[in-house]
Amino acid sequence: MRKDGTRFWSSVVVTPLYDEDGKLSGFSKVTRDITDRKKLLDQVSAHAAELELRIAEREATNAELEAFSYSVSHDLRAPLRAIEGFANALFEDYGDKLGQEGSDFLTEIQNAAKRMSKLVQDLLNYSRLGRVELAFAPVNVLELVRKTCTELGPDCRYIRCDIDPGLAVIAHAPTLGQALTNLINNALKFRRPDVDPEVRVTARPWHNNTISISVTDNGIGIAPEHIERIFKVFERLHNRDSYPGTGIGLAIVRRAITRMGGTVNVDSQLGEGSTFWIELPAAKEVVVGSSNDIAR
Ligand code: ADP
């Protein structure tokens, strides 16, 4: 309490005092007024509490949005299948009566329905990635990259792979496989006109006991101002006619890798090519610089 009777927050230090013979002779007391500090601390805790409330609200809204987009995408599939089915039936049963223009219109309907199916499927995959539990285990990088390349069919011939067979990451293999498929597909797709694609997949030990897996292409590249944008859902830098796609592939890659505790980055030169790389926790202790490149 102050002399004027008002109360205040204080910090009190009491120190024992001894005389020359070492006998306790009394105490000294230093009282410091910490009212301002206490006020500040109270304000900080109030802000922290408010922030936590906002985070909780945002998480709830995000979960709601996720659930909403999942059920919308899911429910869109049935009417879409009906459109595709009836358009096909119309073509088969009445194709000869439609005339050229009618047939062209019908082909447009079929193509649009196909595009929408792909979009809905990609959205469902994206949404599912935010909801499912992923079980992690050591994944051999070379084996997974080889499997991914084989599934790409004839375009596999454009891919070179330099990966130490001993490298393994902690990941969910199907999810990592999906991310690699998306990156390699893009590397093959965004090729320069009249230039054969050259895609190189490498993996090497990286800092903080991680493995860096990179996909490099000699394609059209990306302007620096678009680098962050392309990882967002539906963000595309080209129209459908020059390069087909839904604009969800890289959003899936980022979500997949983040969910596995990793990061994804890109380095690109417009007109010269791009390197996308993923960093994931190594399955075994790794030493940076210990990788021997092994050509496939
Ligand atoms: P999509 O491939 O369906 O268009 P993505 O999400 O995979 O969607 O990619 C988003 C955009 O990023 C692409 O439309 C393209 O403009 C750009 N992009 C992605 N990968 C590459 C690449 N390897 N080279 C050049 N541009 C790319």
Side-chain angles (χ1 to χ4, degrees), residues 142-174:
L142 181 59
E143 277 171 26
L144 185 66
V145 170
R146 278 192 171 151
K147 183 167 171 277
T148 306
C149 293
T150 315
E151 284 166 5
L152 291 172
D155 272 354
C156 202
R157 67 186 187 280
Y158 297 123
I159 304 167
R160 269 200 331 119
C161 188
D162 297 332
I163 298 173
D164 184 327
L167 291 182
V169 289
I170 298 284
H172 178 248

PDB file of all heavy atoms in Angstrom, residues 142-174:
ATOM      1  N   LEU A 142      14.566 -44.081 -54.217  1.00  0.00           N
ATOM      2  CA  LEU A 142      14.796 -44.553 -55.590  1.00  0.00           C
ATOM      3  C   LEU A 142      13.676 -45.491 -56.048  1.00  0.00           C
ATOM      4  O   LEU A 142      13.154 -45.359 -57.155  1.00  0.00           O
ATOM      5  CB  LEU A 142      16.158 -45.255 -55.680  1.00  0.00           C
ATOM      6  CG  LEU A 142      16.527 -45.761 -57.073  1.00  0.00           C
ATOM      7  CD1 LEU A 142      16.577 -44.642 -58.091  1.00  0.00           C
ATOM      8  CD2 LEU A 142      17.879 -46.490 -57.040  1.00  0.00           C
ATOM      9  N   GLU A 143      13.285 -46.415 -55.144  1.00  0.00           N
ATOM     10  CA  GLU A 143      12.219 -47.361 -55.524  1.00  0.00           C
ATOM     11  C   GLU A 143      10.926 -46.624 -55.843  1.00  0.00           C
ATOM     12  O   GLU A 143      10.249 -46.910 -56.828  1.00  0.00           O
ATOM     13  CB  GLU A 143      11.952 -48.345 -54.382  1.00  0.00           C
ATOM     14  CG  GLU A 143      12.926 -49.513 -54.375  1.00  0.00           C
ATOM     15  CD  GLU A 143      12.784 -50.360 -53.109  1.00  0.00           C
ATOM     16  OE1 GLU A 143      11.685 -50.381 -52.512  1.00  0.00           O
ATOM     17  OE2 GLU A 143      13.789 -50.984 -52.724  1.00  0.00           O
ATOM     18  N   LEU A 144      10.587 -45.632 -54.997  1.00  0.00           N
ATOM     19  CA  LEU A 144       9.324 -44.910 -55.206  1.00  0.00           C
ATOM     20  C   LEU A 144       9.377 -44.088 -56.498  1.00  0.00           C
ATOM     21  O   LEU A 144       8.407 -44.063 -57.275  1.00  0.00           O
ATOM     22  CB  LEU A 144       9.021 -44.001 -54.008  1.00  0.00           C
ATOM     23  CG  LEU A 144       7.670 -43.300 -54.085  1.00  0.00           C
ATOM     24  CD1 LEU A 144       6.520 -44.303 -53.996  1.00  0.00           C
ATOM     25  CD2 LEU A 144       7.512 -42.262 -52.984  1.00  0.00           C
ATOM     26  N   VAL A 145      10.524 -43.445 -56.765  1.00  0.00           N
ATOM     27  CA  VAL A 145      10.630 -42.626 -57.979  1.00  0.00           C
ATOM     28  C   VAL A 145      10.536 -43.533 -59.210  1.00  0.00           C
ATOM     29  O   VAL A 145       9.851 -43.214 -60.192  1.00  0.00           O
ATOM     30  CB  VAL A 145      11.949 -41.817 -57.986  1.00  0.00           C
ATOM     31  CG1 VAL A 145      12.178 -41.170 -59.339  1.00  0.00           C
ATOM     32  CG2 VAL A 145      11.924 -40.755 -56.892  1.00  0.00           C
ATOM     33  N   ARG A 146      11.191 -44.695 -59.156  1.00  0.00           N
ATOM     34  CA  ARG A 146      11.126 -45.631 -60.301  1.00  0.00           C
ATOM     35  C   ARG A 146       9.689 -46.076 -60.557  1.00  0.00           C
ATOM     36  O   ARG A 146       9.231 -46.099 -61.690  1.00  0.00           O
ATOM     37  CB  ARG A 146      11.992 -46.851 -60.023  1.00  0.00           C
ATOM     38  CG  ARG A 146      13.437 -46.579 -60.318  1.00  0.00           C
ATOM     39  CD  ARG A 146      14.216 -47.863 -60.313  1.00  0.00           C
ATOM     40  NE  ARG A 146      15.568 -47.631 -60.795  1.00  0.00           N
ATOM     41  CZ  ARG A 146      16.612 -48.343 -60.431  1.00  0.00           C
ATOM     42  NH1 ARG A 146      16.461 -49.352 -59.604  1.00  0.00           N
ATOM     43  NH2 ARG A 146      17.807 -48.074 -60.916  1.00  0.00           N
ATOM     44  N   LYS A 147       8.975 -46.400 -59.470  1.00  0.00           N
ATOM     45  CA  LYS A 147       7.581 -46.852 -59.599  1.00  0.00           C
ATOM     46  C   LYS A 147       6.748 -45.722 -60.225  1.00  0.00           C
ATOM     47  O   LYS A 147       5.964 -45.944 -61.153  1.00  0.00           O
ATOM     48  CB  LYS A 147       7.057 -47.201 -58.198  1.00  0.00           C
ATOM     49  CG  LYS A 147       5.657 -47.740 -58.167  1.00  0.00           C
ATOM     50  CD  LYS A 147       5.375 -48.337 -56.779  1.00  0.00           C
ATOM     51  CE  LYS A 147       3.935 -48.693 -56.591  1.00  0.00           C
ATOM     52  NZ  LYS A 147       3.075 -47.599 -56.197  1.00  0.00           N
ATOM     53  N   THR A 148       6.963 -44.497 -59.716  1.00  0.00           N
ATOM     54  CA  THR A 148       6.201 -43.344 -60.211  1.00  0.00           C
ATOM     55  C   THR A 148       6.469 -43.138 -61.699  1.00  0.00           C
ATOM     56  O   THR A 148       5.539 -42.917 -62.484  1.00  0.00           O
ATOM     57  CB  THR A 148       6.628 -42.074 -59.433  1.00  0.00           C
ATOM     58  OG1 THR A 148       6.496 -42.333 -58.048  1.00  0.00           O
ATOM     59  CG2 THR A 148       5.786 -40.884 -59.802  1.00  0.00           C
ATOM     60  N   CYS A 149       7.739 -43.228 -62.105  1.00  0.00           N
ATOM     61  CA  CYS A 149       8.086 -42.995 -63.517  1.00  0.00           C
ATOM     62  C   CYS A 149       7.473 -44.075 -64.400  1.00  0.00           C
ATOM     63  O   CYS A 149       6.955 -43.787 -65.479  1.00  0.00           O
ATOM     64  CB  CYS A 149       9.606 -42.986 -63.699  1.00  0.00           C
ATOM     65  SG  CYS A 149      10.380 -41.580 -62.906  1.00  0.00           S
ATOM     66  N   THR A 150       7.514 -45.325 -63.931  1.00  0.00           N
ATOM     67  CA  THR A 150       6.975 -46.420 -64.744  1.00  0.00           C
ATOM     68  C   THR A 150       5.489 -46.199 -65.019  1.00  0.00           C
ATOM     69  O   THR A 150       5.005 -46.463 -66.117  1.00  0.00           O
ATOM     70  CB  THR A 150       7.166 -47.775 -64.007  1.00  0.00           C
ATOM     71  OG1 THR A 150       8.482 -47.792 -63.493  1.00  0.00           O
ATOM     72  CG2 THR A 150       6.952 -48.953 -64.915  1.00  0.00           C
ATOM     73  N   GLU A 151       4.784 -45.683 -63.999  1.00  0.00           N
ATOM     74  CA  GLU A 151       3.338 -45.479 -64.164  1.00  0.00           C
ATOM     75  C   GLU A 151       3.016 -44.373 -65.168  1.00  0.00           C
ATOM     76  O   GLU A 151       1.877 -44.223 -65.587  1.00  0.00           O
ATOM     77  CB  GLU A 151       2.709 -45.153 -62.805  1.00  0.00           C
ATOM     78  CG  GLU A 151       2.568 -46.396 -61.943  1.00  0.00           C
ATOM     79  CD  GLU A 151       2.280 -46.074 -60.478  1.00  0.00           C
ATOM     80  OE1 GLU A 151       2.104 -44.887 -60.143  1.00  0.00           O
ATOM     81  OE2 GLU A 151       2.238 -47.025 -59.688  1.00  0.00           O
ATOM     82  N   LEU A 152       4.027 -43.582 -65.543  1.00  0.00           N
ATOM     83  CA  LEU A 152       3.778 -42.476 -66.474  1.00  0.00           C
ATOM     84  C   LEU A 152       3.711 -42.928 -67.931  1.00  0.00           C
ATOM     85  O   LEU A 152       3.387 -42.151 -68.814  1.00  0.00           O
ATOM     86  CB  LEU A 152       4.857 -41.407 -66.331  1.00  0.00           C
ATOM     87  CG  LEU A 152       4.836 -40.628 -65.020  1.00  0.00           C
ATOM     88  CD1 LEU A 152       6.045 -39.741 -64.914  1.00  0.00           C
ATOM     89  CD2 LEU A 152       3.561 -39.803 -64.930  1.00  0.00           C
ATOM     90  N   GLY A 153       4.063 -44.187 -68.176  1.00  0.00           N
ATOM     91  CA  GLY A 153       3.982 -44.712 -69.543  1.00  0.00           C
ATOM     92  C   GLY A 153       5.138 -44.255 -70.409  1.00  0.00           C
ATOM     93  O   GLY A 153       6.255 -44.055 -69.920  1.00  0.00           O
ATOM     94  N   PRO A 154       4.874 -44.045 -71.729  1.00  0.00           N
ATOM     95  CA  PRO A 154       5.958 -43.787 -72.686  1.00  0.00           C
ATOM     96  C   PRO A 154       6.787 -42.532 -72.350  1.00  0.00           C
ATOM     97  O   PRO A 154       7.982 -42.478 -72.678  1.00  0.00           O
ATOM     98  CB  PRO A 154       5.243 -43.584 -74.024  1.00  0.00           C
ATOM     99  CG  PRO A 154       3.825 -43.976 -73.816  1.00  0.00           C
ATOM    100  CD  PRO A 154       3.555 -44.076 -72.360  1.00  0.00           C
ATOM    101  N   ASP A 155       6.182 -41.541 -71.689  1.00  0.00           N
ATOM    102  CA  ASP A 155       6.926 -40.315 -71.369  1.00  0.00           C
ATOM    103  C   ASP A 155       8.083 -40.574 -70.403  1.00  0.00           C
ATOM    104  O   ASP A 155       8.940 -39.713 -70.200  1.00  0.00           O
ATOM    105  CB  ASP A 155       5.988 -39.270 -70.743  1.00  0.00           C
ATOM    106  CG  ASP A 155       5.335 -38.422 -71.816  1.00  0.00           C
ATOM    107  OD1 ASP A 155       5.705 -38.591 -73.001  1.00  0.00           O
ATOM    108  OD2 ASP A 155       4.460 -37.605 -71.481  1.00  0.00           O
ATOM    109  N   CYS A 156       8.100 -41.780 -69.837  1.00  0.00           N
ATOM    110  CA  CYS A 156       9.164 -42.200 -68.923  1.00  0.00           C
ATOM    111  C   CYS A 156      10.542 -42.013 -69.575  1.00  0.00           C
ATOM    112  O   CYS A 156      11.535 -41.793 -68.891  1.00  0.00           O
ATOM    113  CB  CYS A 156       8.909 -43.669 -68.631  1.00  0.00           C
ATOM    114  SG  CYS A 156       9.646 -44.222 -67.145  1.00  0.00           S
ATOM    115  N   ARG A 157      10.582 -42.096 -70.908  1.00  0.00           N
ATOM    116  CA  ARG A 157      11.880 -42.018 -71.599  1.00  0.00           C
ATOM    117  C   ARG A 157      12.541 -40.646 -71.465  1.00  0.00           C
ATOM    118  O   ARG A 157      13.729 -40.505 -71.719  1.00  0.00           O
ATOM    119  CB  ARG A 157      11.730 -42.394 -73.079  1.00  0.00           C
ATOM    120  CG  ARG A 157      10.911 -41.407 -73.904  1.00  0.00           C
ATOM    121  CD  ARG A 157      10.717 -41.959 -75.323  1.00  0.00           C
ATOM    122  NE  ARG A 157      10.083 -40.994 -76.214  1.00  0.00           N
ATOM    123  CZ  ARG A 157       8.789 -40.755 -76.260  1.00  0.00           C
ATOM    124  NH1 ARG A 157       7.963 -41.381 -75.439  1.00  0.00           N
ATOM    125  NH2 ARG A 157       8.299 -39.875 -77.122  1.00  0.00           N
ATOM    126  N   TYR A 158      11.786 -39.638 -71.083  1.00  0.00           N
ATOM    127  CA  TYR A 158      12.361 -38.301 -70.943  1.00  0.00           C
ATOM    128  C   TYR A 158      12.954 -38.058 -69.545  1.00  0.00           C
ATOM    129  O   TYR A 158      13.443 -36.977 -69.268  1.00  0.00           O
ATOM    130  CB  TYR A 158      11.285 -37.231 -71.184  1.00  0.00           C
ATOM    131  CG  TYR A 158      10.707 -37.248 -72.577  1.00  0.00           C
ATOM    132  CD1 TYR A 158       9.339 -37.401 -72.780  1.00  0.00           C
ATOM    133  CD2 TYR A 158      11.527 -37.087 -73.691  1.00  0.00           C
ATOM    134  CE1 TYR A 158       8.802 -37.402 -74.053  1.00  0.00           C
ATOM    135  CE2 TYR A 158      10.992 -37.096 -74.974  1.00  0.00           C
ATOM    136  CZ  TYR A 158       9.630 -37.254 -75.140  1.00  0.00           C
ATOM    137  OH  TYR A 158       9.103 -37.256 -76.393  1.00  0.00           O
ATOM    138  N   ILE A 159      12.836 -39.078 -68.676  1.00  0.00           N
ATOM    139  CA  ILE A 159      13.220 -38.847 -67.273  1.00  0.00           C
ATOM    140  C   ILE A 159      14.549 -39.529 -66.936  1.00  0.00           C
ATOM    141  O   ILE A 159      14.741 -40.707 -67.246  1.00  0.00           O
ATOM    142  CB  ILE A 159      12.123 -39.397 -66.332  1.00  0.00           C
ATOM    143  CG1 ILE A 159      10.777 -38.764 -66.688  1.00  0.00           C
ATOM    144  CG2 ILE A 159      12.470 -39.123 -64.872  1.00  0.00           C
ATOM    145  CD1 ILE A 159       9.598 -39.442 -66.052  1.00  0.00           C
ATOM    146  N   ARG A 160      15.452 -38.785 -66.331  1.00  0.00           N
ATOM    147  CA  ARG A 160      16.709 -39.355 -65.824  1.00  0.00           C
ATOM    148  C   ARG A 160      16.678 -39.261 -64.313  1.00  0.00           C
ATOM    149  O   ARG A 160      16.127 -38.321 -63.745  1.00  0.00           O
ATOM    150  CB  ARG A 160      17.910 -38.556 -66.341  1.00  0.00           C
ATOM    151  CG  ARG A 160      18.442 -39.104 -67.645  1.00  0.00           C
ATOM    152  CD  ARG A 160      19.876 -38.683 -67.930  1.00  0.00           C
ATOM    153  NE  ARG A 160      20.267 -37.407 -67.368  1.00  0.00           N
ATOM    154  CZ  ARG A 160      21.242 -37.274 -66.479  1.00  0.00           C
ATOM    155  NH1 ARG A 160      21.871 -38.330 -66.010  1.00  0.00           N
ATOM    156  NH2 ARG A 160      21.573 -36.067 -66.041  1.00  0.00           N
ATOM    157  N   CYS A 161      17.289 -40.248 -63.698  1.00  0.00           N
ATOM    158  CA  CYS A 161      17.155 -40.323 -62.250  1.00  0.00           C
ATOM    159  C   CYS A 161      18.531 -40.505 -61.603  1.00  0.00           C
ATOM    160  O   CYS A 161      19.238 -41.439 -61.945  1.00  0.00           O
ATOM    161  CB  CYS A 161      16.259 -41.535 -62.020  1.00  0.00           C
ATOM    162  SG  CYS A 161      15.743 -41.737 -60.394  1.00  0.00           S
ATOM    163  N   ASP A 162      18.926 -39.589 -60.758  1.00  0.00           N
ATOM    164  CA  ASP A 162      20.224 -39.698 -60.067  1.00  0.00           C
ATOM    165  C   ASP A 162      19.963 -39.768 -58.568  1.00  0.00           C
ATOM    166  O   ASP A 162      19.847 -38.727 -57.907  1.00  0.00           O
ATOM    167  CB  ASP A 162      21.096 -38.464 -60.348  1.00  0.00           C
ATOM    168  CG  ASP A 162      21.416 -38.354 -61.819  1.00  0.00           C
ATOM    169  OD1 ASP A 162      21.459 -39.396 -62.486  1.00  0.00           O
ATOM    170  OD2 ASP A 162      21.616 -37.214 -62.287  1.00  0.00           O
ATOM    171  N   ILE A 163      19.862 -40.980 -58.075  1.00  0.00           N
ATOM    172  CA  ILE A 163      19.502 -41.135 -56.652  1.00  0.00           C
ATOM    173  C   ILE A 163      20.310 -42.270 -56.026  1.00  0.00           C
ATOM    174  O   ILE A 163      20.364 -43.373 -56.574  1.00  0.00           O
ATOM    175  CB  ILE A 163      17.985 -41.432 -56.512  1.00  0.00           C
ATOM    176  CG1 ILE A 163      17.165 -40.258 -57.062  1.00  0.00           C
ATOM    177  CG2 ILE A 163      17.621 -41.686 -55.057  1.00  0.00           C
ATOM    178  CD1 ILE A 163      15.688 -40.518 -57.131  1.00  0.00           C
ATOM    179  N   ASP A 164      20.906 -41.998 -54.909  1.00  0.00           N
ATOM    180  CA  ASP A 164      21.616 -43.037 -54.157  1.00  0.00           C
ATOM    181  C   ASP A 164      20.594 -44.076 -53.692  1.00  0.00           C
ATOM    182  O   ASP A 164      19.608 -43.708 -53.034  1.00  0.00           O
ATOM    183  CB  ASP A 164      22.286 -42.357 -52.957  1.00  0.00           C
ATOM    184  CG  ASP A 164      23.129 -43.323 -52.161  1.00  0.00           C
ATOM    185  OD1 ASP A 164      22.756 -44.511 -52.089  1.00  0.00           O
ATOM    186  OD2 ASP A 164      24.147 -42.883 -51.603  1.00  0.00           O
ATOM    187  N   PRO A 165      20.801 -45.365 -54.012  1.00  0.00           N
ATOM    188  CA  PRO A 165      19.785 -46.369 -53.655  1.00  0.00           C
ATOM    189  C   PRO A 165      19.574 -46.514 -52.147  1.00  0.00           C
ATOM    190  O   PRO A 165      18.564 -47.065 -51.720  1.00  0.00           O
ATOM    191  CB  PRO A 165      20.335 -47.683 -54.237  1.00  0.00           C
ATOM    192  CG  PRO A 165      21.639 -47.380 -54.851  1.00  0.00           C
ATOM    193  CD  PRO A 165      21.948 -45.930 -54.737  1.00  0.00           C
ATOM    194  N   GLY A 166      20.483 -45.998 -51.337  1.00  0.00           N
ATOM    195  CA  GLY A 166      20.344 -46.166 -49.884  1.00  0.00           C
ATOM    196  C   GLY A 166      19.490 -45.094 -49.225  1.00  0.00           C
ATOM    197  O   GLY A 166      19.188 -45.186 -48.039  1.00  0.00           O
ATOM    198  N   LEU A 167      19.062 -44.080 -49.984  1.00  0.00           N
ATOM    199  CA  LEU A 167      18.344 -42.966 -49.334  1.00  0.00           C
ATOM    200  C   LEU A 167      16.887 -43.318 -49.034  1.00  0.00           C
ATOM    201  O   LEU A 167      16.179 -43.830 -49.898  1.00  0.00           O
ATOM    202  CB  LEU A 167      18.377 -41.723 -50.231  1.00  0.00           C
ATOM    203  CG  LEU A 167      19.739 -41.054 -50.412  1.00  0.00           C
ATOM    204  CD1 LEU A 167      19.596 -39.811 -51.275  1.00  0.00           C
ATOM    205  CD2 LEU A 167      20.342 -40.688 -49.061  1.00  0.00           C
ATOM    206  N   ALA A 168      16.483 -43.018 -47.803  1.00  0.00           N
ATOM    207  CA  ALA A 168      15.076 -43.267 -47.417  1.00  0.00           C
ATOM    208  C   ALA A 168      14.561 -42.084 -46.601  1.00  0.00           C
ATOM    209  O   ALA A 168      15.317 -41.471 -45.853  1.00  0.00           O
ATOM    210  CB  ALA A 168      14.992 -44.553 -46.600  1.00  0.00           C
ATOM    211  N   VAL A 169      13.282 -41.776 -46.793  1.00  0.00           N
ATOM    212  CA  VAL A 169      12.656 -40.692 -46.022  1.00  0.00           C
ATOM    213  C   VAL A 169      11.542 -41.268 -45.151  1.00  0.00           C
ATOM    214  O   VAL A 169      11.053 -42.364 -45.410  1.00  0.00           O
ATOM    215  CB  VAL A 169      12.038 -39.601 -46.944  1.00  0.00           C
ATOM    216  CG1 VAL A 169      13.102 -38.792 -47.630  1.00  0.00           C
ATOM    217  CG2 VAL A 169      11.075 -40.214 -47.952  1.00  0.00           C
ATOM    218  N   ILE A 170      11.157 -40.494 -44.136  1.00  0.00           N
ATOM    219  CA  ILE A 170       9.992 -40.884 -43.331  1.00  0.00           C
ATOM    220  C   ILE A 170       8.783 -40.229 -43.987  1.00  0.00           C
ATOM    221  O   ILE A 170       8.706 -39.002 -44.068  1.00  0.00           O
ATOM    222  CB  ILE A 170      10.119 -40.352 -41.887  1.00  0.00           C
ATOM    223  CG1 ILE A 170      11.336 -40.931 -41.200  1.00  0.00           C
ATOM    224  CG2 ILE A 170       8.853 -40.621 -41.095  1.00  0.00           C
ATOM    225  CD1 ILE A 170      11.190 -42.355 -40.763  1.00  0.00           C
ATOM    226  N   ALA A 171       7.880 -41.049 -44.500  1.00  0.00           N
ATOM    227  CA  ALA A 171       6.743 -40.481 -45.230  1.00  0.00           C
ATOM    228  C   ALA A 171       5.615 -41.505 -45.328  1.00  0.00           C
ATOM    229  O   ALA A 171       5.770 -42.658 -44.906  1.00  0.00           O
ATOM    230  CB  ALA A 171       7.192 -40.077 -46.631  1.00  0.00           C
ATOM    231  N   HIS A 172       4.502 -41.057 -45.922  1.00  0.00           N
ATOM    232  CA  HIS A 172       3.414 -41.969 -46.265  1.00  0.00           C
ATOM    233  C   HIS A 172       3.591 -42.220 -47.754  1.00  0.00           C
ATOM    234  O   HIS A 172       3.406 -41.307 -48.573  1.00  0.00           O
ATOM    235  CB  HIS A 172       2.074 -41.282 -45.949  1.00  0.00           C
ATOM    236  CG  HIS A 172       0.877 -42.093 -46.290  1.00  0.00           C
ATOM    237  ND1 HIS A 172       0.011 -41.762 -47.304  1.00  0.00           N
ATOM    238  CD2 HIS A 172       0.403 -43.245 -45.753  1.00  0.00           C
ATOM    239  CE1 HIS A 172      -0.953 -42.658 -47.368  1.00  0.00           C
ATOM    240  NE2 HIS A 172      -0.734 -43.569 -46.434  1.00  0.00           N
ATOM    241  N   ALA A 173       3.982 -43.449 -48.100  1.00  0.00           N
ATOM    242  CA  ALA A 173       4.436 -43.715 -49.471  1.00  0.00           C
ATOM    243  C   ALA A 173       3.422 -43.292 -50.551  1.00  0.00           C
ATOM    244  O   ALA A 173       3.809 -42.603 -51.519  1.00  0.00           O
ATOM    245  CB  ALA A 173       4.818 -45.186 -49.619  1.00  0.00           C
ATOM    246  N   PRO A 174       2.118 -43.667 -50.443  1.00  0.00           N
ATOM    247  CA  PRO A 174       1.194 -43.269 -51.520  1.00  0.00           C
ATOM    248  C   PRO A 174       1.083 -41.749 -51.664  1.00  0.00           C
ATOM    249  O   PRO A 174       0.964 -41.230 -52.774  1.00  0.00           O
ATOM    250  CB  PRO A 174      -0.145 -43.869 -51.091  1.00  0.00           C
ATOM    251  CG  PRO A 174       0.170 -44.898 -50.066  1.00  0.00           C
ATOM    252  CD  PRO A 174       1.452 -44.491 -49.416  1.00  0.00           C
TER     253      PRO A 174
END
